[in-house]
Amino acid sequence: MAAPVAGRLGALGRRLAVPVRAWLPRLTQVRWSRYGPIYLDPEVNKEVYRKPLEELSEEEKTQKELKALQPIKATPSNVTSSVFSDPTVSKFINMMMKEGNKVLARSIMTKTLEAIKRKQIEKYYQASEEEKESIECNPYIIFHQALKNCQPIIGICNIKKGGKTYQVPTPLKDNRKRFLAMKWLITECREHKHYRIFMHEKLSEELLQAFNNEGPVIKKKHDMHKMAEANRAYAHYRWW
Amino acid sequence: MLRSVKGLIRQGPKLDSGYFFHVSARAWLSAAVNQDARIPAEKPRAIFRTNESNPANHAEQHDGQHYSIPLQEVKVVFPHGLPYHFQMQMKTFNETCLMVRKPALELLGYLKNTNFAHPAVRYVIYGEKGTGKTMTLCHAVHYCAKQGWLVLHIPDAHLWVKNCRELMQSSYNKERFDQPLQASTWLKNFKTSNEHFLKEIKTQQTYMWSKRESTEEGRPLGEVVEQGLNRVKNASDAVGVVLKELKKQCPLGSFRLLVAVDGINALWGRTALRKKDKSSNGGAIVTTLSQTGSLFKPRSAYLPDELLGKEGFDTLDPFIPIQVSNYSQREFESCYQYYLDRKWLQHEKACAEEGRKELLFLSNANPWQLGRISAYL
């Protein structure tokens, strides 16, 4: 949608005098890509290339032919064809990163996963036979489940009407929910814990608490739900 | 302390047999000892574990297999020897497992065939970073402890040389400095591992600690250790005394001494401080070279002559070098199966063939690297 807007704007600007573009600042794009619409995304998954020709469905065959003809974008450096790569974990690392120090953020994430795994395995070996079934040792499953537990269902939006700002309950997109969950986790660890404890220890503790549906981040999610419930009278202020 | 160990090493050939110098370099996480190398299409547990927990009986067929050490023995034999990461693994898995590997088997073979009438032989274990040098040393120490030798284990010589917080001028010799903290911890651990020996060995001369306290001739060595523990100021002196006594008495043949020093290259490298501990010479030496803690040395250096320097090499010469390298195919398989068995590799793709190939590629069969990667998978 941005490309046609820019195109139209460019055409408009070309027909009128150049200063016209400055008159419509809200329609110009801030983030744009050097790739045009014809460029396709790269396929990093090795399994897709290993499938023999007979197993492909019709649409996959057409897609494959298309890829032979159309240009493909370059792969970003944080995307790998490793079987262990996880997009959610990558997103979380990016959000934890400060001043572009990806090495540090990634090492904190790996230490967090290791800490979670150690705690769970220790609990596993101390537990009795019946409890052993219920203890989850996989740090990735714990991470995903904890994030899911922290995601709010309904959000709050500030809408100004008649000089007053109202907190109006709104539905949230999936991306926004995931972003809020990660943001709450990271801010909770950064601000409300003692600064001398390592980040990976704080994070592992928070994640384990969130996995069990307890802890301050879950409380924050519930607070948001309560606010939305309290302000349901203003729900009709929303126009989208 | 260091001077004394250096003296011990220098006078190695003159010492009587029964002293073995084992130098083991610090190895990170090389401990992943798989009990039995796993051979596919056989019983799952049989391959990477072995029930043979006595190192004396380890032979070629146990190569690549893990053997476990019971908790009581670990506390006695290794109060301070194991690397930090291995200790964390021990805590997590609730057991201590060491892999039997070829360099260790070679070393044990030499130890078994030692002729105690000859001067002590020196062994230097060397290898690249993270290949298993410290764990090989620990394997040898376990063997010797089982055989009933007196074990003098220095976990990391670099700790004695750099980053000292408390320095005191030695009362014994004006030019030297002591490290009371390190000395007292070492004495405590020495006491734990060699309880029964301390009562038997008698001192051969009187030592004056201060105006009022002194240890008479003929008292058991345990008293010297107690003295060092009680009076922290004299801890380094106590260590020196212990080493001196052991050195003098070893030739008598009443007991066999093993000196295991980790990171021997610390003793000859440039020191960040002008620190020399009491000189006392004592027993046999098994040493390892360690690049990790050494100062002023490039990262790729791992050969003995690079890390020891000219002075160290001349002092240690002649020695038997033992090289430790990355895992072989069999050992890697064994380690991988051990991790799977102990639930260390949790990622769902890690159990598959794809995951295994990727682990092999990422770690290049280096034990330390494999441990680090499997930690977060």
Side-chain angles (χ1 to χ4, degrees):
Chain A
M1 204 169 75
V5 172
R8 252 182 272 142
L9 203 58
L12 194 65
R14 272 197 297 276
R15 258 185 273 139
L16 310 171
V18 168
V20 172
R21 216 174 285 177
W23 294 351
L24 309 161
R26 275 200 298 167
L27 288 180
T28 47
Q29 272 194 258
V30 180
R31 272 186 219 97
W32 56 289
S33 168
R34 292 292 292 185
Y35 295 117
I38 202 145
Y39 279 80
L40 301 173
D41 281 316
E43 178 61 60
V44 217
N45 195 357
K46 280 193 244 181
E47 295 299 316
V48 172
Y49 294 112
R50 288 214 192 113
K51 262 190 179 175
L53 210 59
E54 299 79 32
E55 281 181 32
L56 295 174
S57 64
E58 277 308 314
E59 44 185 278
E60 282 177 344
K61 279 195 185 144
T62 42
Q63 253 210 344
K64 199 166 169 197
E65 275 157 39
L66 215 63
K67 283 204 170 172
L69 301 167
Q70 282 188 336
I72 304 184
K73 296 182 198 170
T75 330
S77 50
N78 56 345
V79 171
T80 50
S81 59
S82 155
V83 293
F84 302 124
S85 60
D86 192 348
T88 330
V89 173
S90 308
K91 196 56 112 184
F92 195 74
I93 292 174
N94 285 344
M95 287 192 60
M96 256 203 302
M97 176 165 62
K98 271 189 180 177
E99 291 167 12
N101 196 349
K102 181 88 140 218
V103 174
L104 185 61
R106 192 147 175 235
S107 71
I108 293 176
M109 188 69 210
T110 51
K111 283 182 193 158
T112 311
L113 292 170
E114 187 187 336
I116 296 176
K117 190 160 57 156
R118 269 194 209 275
K119 286 185 194 162
Q120 292 296 98
I121 290 183
E122 267 172 58
K123 237 171 42 177
Y124 180 85
Y125 283 125
Q126 313 287 350
S128 61
E129 285 305 319
E130 311 90 45
E131 288 170 37
K132 274 191 177 164
E133 304 288 319
S134 60
I135 295 180
E136 177 59 57
C137 289
N138 192 340
Y140 290 90
I141 294 185
I142 292 182
F143 176 70
H144 287 125
Q145 188 57 41
L147 269 188
K148 227 193 296 188
N149 290 349
C150 287
Q151 283 177 6
I153 307 173
I154 192 165
I156 294 281
C157 188
N158 293 349
I159 294 184
K160 238 170 130 176
K161 189 162 166 134
K164 267 178 75 178
T165 322
Y166 297 98
Q167 308 269 358
V168 177
T170 49
L172 294 172
K173 285 201 202 148
D174 281 331
N175 278 350
R176 178 82 187 150
K177 286 182 194 169
R178 202 184 51 187
F179 169 78
L180 278 177
M182 290 189 192
K183 189 83 184 170
W184 287 342
L185 269 172
I186 296 175
T187 5
E188 175 63 40
C189 289
R190 277 186 187 158
E191 284 163 24
H192 296 139
K193 308 262 187 198
H194 192 57
Y195 67 95
R196 293 286 282 183
I197 309 176
F198 289 121
M199 181 71 178
H200 59 92
E201 286 169 18
K202 296 189 260 198
L203 254 184
S204 62
E205 208 184 296
E206 275 302 327
L207 283 169
L208 281 171
Q209 281 185 325
F211 178 69
N212 297 327
N213 267 318
E214 37 187 56
V217 188
I218 300 286
K219 185 170 167 301
K220 192 153 180 181
K221 174 185 92 157
H222 288 323
D223 286 343
M224 182 163 224
H225 287 173
K226 281 181 210 158
M227 273 283 266
E229 186 62 35
N231 287 351
R232 21 178 326 177
Y234 303 122
H236 64 283
Y237 282 176
R238 187 170 59 92
W239 62 85
W240 60 88
Chain B
M1 272 198 294
L2 280 176
R3 183 84 77 81
S4 49
V5 179
K6 264 205 234 182
L8 276 173
I9 296 166
R10 218 174 285 124
Q11 297 177 28
K14 294 193 208 128
L15 289 172
D16 283 359
S17 56
Y19 296 86
F20 283 88
F21 294 77
H22 300 281
V23 193
S24 43
R26 162 114 65 172
W28 293 74
L29 276 185
S30 47
V33 181
N34 294 314
Q35 296 268 338
D36 294 292
R38 202 181 262 258
I39 305 160
E42 271 193 51
K43 264 188 301 179
R45 263 190 87 84
I47 309 214
F48 57 91
R49 272 191 204 274
T50 182
N51 292 328
E52 193 56 66
S53 70
N54 191 354
N57 302 341
H58 285 153
E60 282 297 320
Q61 80 252 29
H62 294 124
D63 181 31
Q65 302 186 342
H66 290 80
Y67 80 97
S68 70
I69 311 176
L71 195 60
Q72 301 331 101
E73 271 187 47
V74 169
K75 280 195 200 145
V76 171
V77 176
F78 297 122
H80 56 187
L82 298 168
Y84 173 65
H85 280 278
F86 186 65
Q87 284 174 359
M88 287 213 290
Q89 300 280 68
M90 269 164 48
K91 192 161 154 279
T92 311
F93 297 156
N94 231 14
E95 64 174 4
T96 313
C97 269
L98 226 61
M99 195 201 271
V100 179
R101 295 180 73 194
K102 284 210 173 60
L105 286 173
E106 194 186 324
L107 187 58
L108 291 184
Y110 292 146
L111 286 178
K112 281 182 203 169
N113 297 336
T114 53
N115 189 346
F116 297 113
H118 289 167
V121 189
R122 297 178 252 200
Y123 304 95
V124 175
I125 306 179
Y126 71 101
E128 301 220 332
K129 178 169 175 170
T131 42
K133 305 182 280 282
T134 303
M135 296 320 295
T136 317
L137 180 66
C138 290
H139 196 168
V141 165
H142 185 222
Y143 167 74
C144 295
K146 274 268 190 179
Q147 298 286 310
W149 296 25
L150 181 85
V151 172
L152 202 81
H153 191 47
I154 298 173
D156 190 11
H158 292 294
L159 287 175
W160 291 11
V161 174
K162 62 173 182 177
N163 297 342
C164 338
R165 271 189 234 155
E166 288 178 15
L167 271 185
M168 277 171 32
Q169 223 185 13
S170 156
S171 54
Y172 187 70
N173 186 341
K174 281 288 171 264
E175 286 169 358
R176 298 203 207 108
F177 294 96
D178 289 344
Q179 256 203 10
L181 276 176
Q182 303 280 352
S184 45
T185 27
W186 187 82
L187 275 176
K188 206 160 35 161
N189 293 328
F190 180 68
K191 190 168 142 196
T192 329
S193 48
N194 296 312
E195 289 271 13
H196 54 283
F197 278 115
L198 292 175
K199 297 193 200 80
E200 292 170 5
I201 306 173
K202 308 277 182 225
T203 58
Q204 284 182 349
Q205 85 186 69
T206 337
Y207 296 104
M208 293 285 295
W209 299 114
S210 64
K211 279 192 210 141
R212 292 196 210 127
E213 293 164 11
S214 67
T215 311
E216 305 299 324
E217 192 178 325
R219 309 285 288 163
L221 210 59
E223 280 205 14
V224 175
V225 176
E226 291 294 328
Q227 183 69 36
L229 283 173
N230 294 337
R231 298 259 175 279
V232 183
K233 276 192 189 171
N234 295 335
S236 309
D237 297 356
V239 173
V241 163
V242 161
L243 291 172
K244 197 153 97 177
E245 286 297 322
L246 289 174
K247 185 181 175 193
K248 265 196 271 181
Q249 297 199 2
C250 218
L252 301 173
S254 53
F255 58 88
R256 284 174 239 160
L257 184 59
L258 166 80
V259 175
V261 182
D262 210 332
I264 192 85
N265 48 324
L267 303 183
W268 288 286
R270 289 153 58 192
T271 54
L273 315 158
R274 290 264 146 247
K275 245 187 85 73
K276 283 159 191 107
D277 280 281
K278 282 247 181 204
S279 70
S280 275
N281 299 320
I285 305 174
V286 178
T287 61
T288 63
L289 298 172
S290 156
Q291 193 277 330
T292 316
S294 67
L295 307 155
F296 314 112
K297 283 276 184 297
R299 202 188 146 105
S300 53
Y302 75 97
L303 294 167
D305 60 333
E306 290 165 0
L307 282 176
L308 284 173
K310 189 155 187 331
E311 192 195 322
F313 198 81
D314 290 336
T315 322
L316 265 188
D317 207 20
F319 59 84
I320 298 181
I322 300 177
Q323 190 184 11
V324 183
S325 54
N326 288 337
Y327 280 155
S328 66
Q329 192 65 1
R330 200 175 134 148
E331 286 169 347
F332 175 80
E333 194 58 51
S334 188
C335 190
Y336 175 72
Q337 295 297 344
Y338 176 67
Y339 281 157
L340 279 179
D341 174 61
R342 295 270 76 184
K343 293 192 177 300
W344 190 228
L345 285 169
Q346 280 284 332
H347 202 274
E348 52 273 358
K349 292 281 170 59
C351 332
E353 186 55 32
E354 275 289 328
R356 185 185 154 277
K357 278 199 262 189
E358 191 160 327
L359 271 180
L360 181 59
F361 172 72
L362 285 174
S363 64
N364 193 21
N366 186 301
W368 173 60
Q369 203 64 271
L370 180 62
R372 259 183 61 168
I373 295 173
S374 354
Y376 61 84
L377 278 181

